[in-house]
């Protein structure tokens, strides 16, 4: 499909994917229903909208927030988001005093169950090296200014635990319920590279 | 023998498919608050001890529980279950005096990567 919506020749990547899919199916290594289920998983079922619901519940329910920060795995499982790459979760809270940012310096470990697959920049060598050594510089490039008095806390998720940031609830959201709040929460704010913007 | 990827394999991904935490009662070598030194080792094979923390001093923030040491598994040296810890390193310890005194980096390290400082 070309960018104007008119069907055109497939890109090289698309052709390669189609060729691989055909081969896997013909050799009986993969069932087509499994491919459909995998696409459904990452398109519709695992993604940042899950994490956003966790964040919104924590913003509106102090008991849940305390549970989430103490036992991220259990509290997230309570929402039903305990699928693959969410087996052992740690949730870290952003406050006016502490700003958390998550990186995987060795590869691209990411909490799929709550945030989906990682964005391309998260897997890139420049982000992986500079988020560790110069987090304030990286944050500034994302438009996120952190005060000199605020502690920047980097989490390198290179081992078996997966990390998610509980961003600060923006101002001007007092009247919003959890459903409306969840719509404000972005993937990037749960990685910790941005803050959640107030509603328009 | 390779297992065919069918619907059952995919659906298992919704059921804590990748859980790797071990329910083993192993005495931890370190406790929260301990000062530790990341070993300066340079293995040629797989390790989860990045170069930037080797030889640096940090503090145990939390005992994460018991997991297999990936270095040994990847090398085919069998299972070496041991505690893994969240270690806090001050930014200045890792990156020198120009780094902000307020900032820190936390990383999960296995027991074999650490000595008491």
């Amino acid at each position: 499909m070309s960018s104007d919506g008119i069907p055109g020749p497939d890109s090289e990547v698309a052709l390669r994917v189609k060729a691989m899919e055909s081969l896997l199916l013909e050799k009986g290594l993969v069932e087509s229903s499994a491919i459909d289920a995998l696409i459904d998983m990452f398109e519709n079922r695992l993604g940042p909208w899950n994490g956003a619901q966790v964040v919104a519940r924590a913003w509106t329910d102090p008991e849940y927030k305390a549970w989430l920060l103490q036992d991220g795995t259990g509290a997230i499982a309570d929402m039903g988001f305990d699928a693959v790459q969410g087996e052992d979760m740690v949730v870290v809270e952003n406050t006016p005093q502490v700003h958390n940012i998550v990186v995987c310096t060795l590869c691209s470990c990411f909490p799929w169950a709550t945030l989906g697959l990682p964005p391309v920049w998260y897997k890139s060598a420049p982000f992986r090296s500079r988020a560790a050594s110069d987090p304030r510089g990286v944050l500034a490039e994302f438009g996120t200014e952190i005060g000199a008095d605020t502690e920047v806390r980097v989490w390198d998720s290179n081992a078996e635990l997966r990390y998610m940031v509980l961003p600060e609830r923006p101002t001007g959201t007092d009247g919003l319920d959890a459903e409306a709040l969840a719509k404000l929460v972005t993937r990037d704010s749960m990685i910790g590279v941005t803050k959640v913007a107030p509603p328009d | 023998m390779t297992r065919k990827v069918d619907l059952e394999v995919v659906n298992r991904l919704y059921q804590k498919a990748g859980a790797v935490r071990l329910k083993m009662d192993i005495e931890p070598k370190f406790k929260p608050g301990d000062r530790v030194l990341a070993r300066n080792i340079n293995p040629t094979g797989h390790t989860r001890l990045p170069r930037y923390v080797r030889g640096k001093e940090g503090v145990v923030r939390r005992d994460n529980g018991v997991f297999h040491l990936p270095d040994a598994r990847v090398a085919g040296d069998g299972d070496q279950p041991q505690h893994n810890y969240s270690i806090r390193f001050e930014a200045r310890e890792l990156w020198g005096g120009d780094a902000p005194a307020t900032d820190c980096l936390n990383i999960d390290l296995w027991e074999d990567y650490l000595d008491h400082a």
Side-chain angles (χ1 to χ4, degrees):
Chain A
M1 193 84 93
S2 57
S3 60
D4 52 9
I6 298 166
D10 284 329
S11 67
E12 198 181 315
V13 168
L15 287 171
R16 194 181 304 163
V17 169
K18 283 184 177 181
M20 282 175 62
E21 183 178 337
S22 300
L23 274 170
L24 291 167
L25 291 171
E26 281 166 29
K27 290 182 180 294
L29 295 169
V30 176
E31 270 182 11
S32 61
S33 61
I35 295 175
D36 292 344
L38 271 174
I39 291 170
D40 178 53
M41 174 181 283
F42 290 108
E43 266 193 356
N44 303 315
R45 296 178 66 176
L46 305 186
W49 49 87
N50 291 348
Q53 289 176 60
V54 172
V55 168
R57 185 170 164 195
W59 282 347
T60 51
D61 179 347
E63 272 180 40
Y64 182 75
K65 179 177 155 183
W67 181 19
L68 184 68
L69 295 175
Q70 197 263 325
D71 170 22
T73 310
I76 290 169
D78 189 62
M79 304 280 288
F81 308 136
D82 54 345
V84 63
Q85 290 296 313
E87 293 87 354
D88 260 297
M89 288 293 297
V90 175
V91 180
V92 290
E93 183 187 18
N94 279 353
T95 67
Q97 290 77 39
V98 178
H99 185 91
N100 296 279
I101 171 173
V102 183
V103 60
C104 180
T105 60
L106 293 183
C107 49
S108 56
C109 298
F110 202 66
W112 295 357
T114 39
L115 296 194
L117 294 175
V120 171
W121 54 259
Y122 185 86
K123 298 183 273 188
S124 70
F127 176 77
R128 282 159 43 205
S129 57
R130 291 189 51 235
S133 63
D134 180 23
R136 287 175 186 265
V138 169
L139 286 162
E141 285 166 27
F142 276 94
T144 308
E145 294 295 337
I146 304 295
D149 296 341
T150 301
E151 174 186 342
V152 172
R153 230 174 248 179
V154 180
W155 298 87
D156 185 348
S157 68
N158 68 317
E160 311 296 9
L161 307 187
R162 297 291 167 262
Y163 289 83
M164 182 181 128
V165 173
L166 174 59
E168 283 180 85
R169 180 171 173 165
T171 53
T173 57
D174 287 354
L176 300 184
D177 61 11
E179 196 185 336
L181 286 168
K183 292 198 176 90
L184 302 176
V185 181
T186 59
R187 176 197 64 200
D188 291 0
S189 71
M190 295 182 281
I191 302 172
V193 292
T194 58
K195 298 184 177 190
V196 176
D200 298 329
Chain B
M1 182 65 195
T2 313
R3 192 195 194 291
K4 184 175 183 174
V5 178
D6 56 19
L7 212 47
E8 193 200 322
V9 172
V10 176
N11 285 332
R12 262 213 311 264
L13 298 176
Y14 290 108
Q15 296 154 15
K16 291 189 168 273
V20 289
R21 175 183 293 282
L22 302 168
K23 292 192 175 68
M24 298 175 84
D25 193 17
I26 295 176
E27 189 70 25
K29 189 171 158 189
F30 306 102
K31 61 180 189 306
D34 283 358
R35 297 202 67 81
V36 289
L37 193 65
R39 289 182 180 166
N40 186 7
I41 50 172
N42 291 274
T44 51
H46 179 86
T47 185
R48 303 283 183 88
L49 176 67
R51 207 167 284 273
Y52 74 84
V53 298
R54 293 178 195 167
K56 305 294 184 181
E57 194 177 316
V59 177
V60 177
R61 189 189 269 274
R62 181 185 59 225
D63 183 341
N64 292 327
V66 177
F67 298 87
H68 287 303
L69 178 69
D71 312 40
R73 288 205 123 187
V74 173
D77 292 341
D79 293 339
Q80 293 180 25
Q82 54 186 260
H83 283 261
N84 175 290
Y85 306 87
S86 172
I87 310 293
R88 174 193 170 113
F89 293 92
E90 297 303 321
R92 287 193 167 171
E93 169 73 2
L94 298 177
W95 315 113
D98 289 343
T102 42
D103 298 354
C104 69
L105 179 141
N106 306 271
I107 180 167
D108 297 328
L109 299 176
W110 271 267
E111 210 159 87
D112 268 19
Y113 304 158
L114 301 167
D115 288 310
H116 284 286

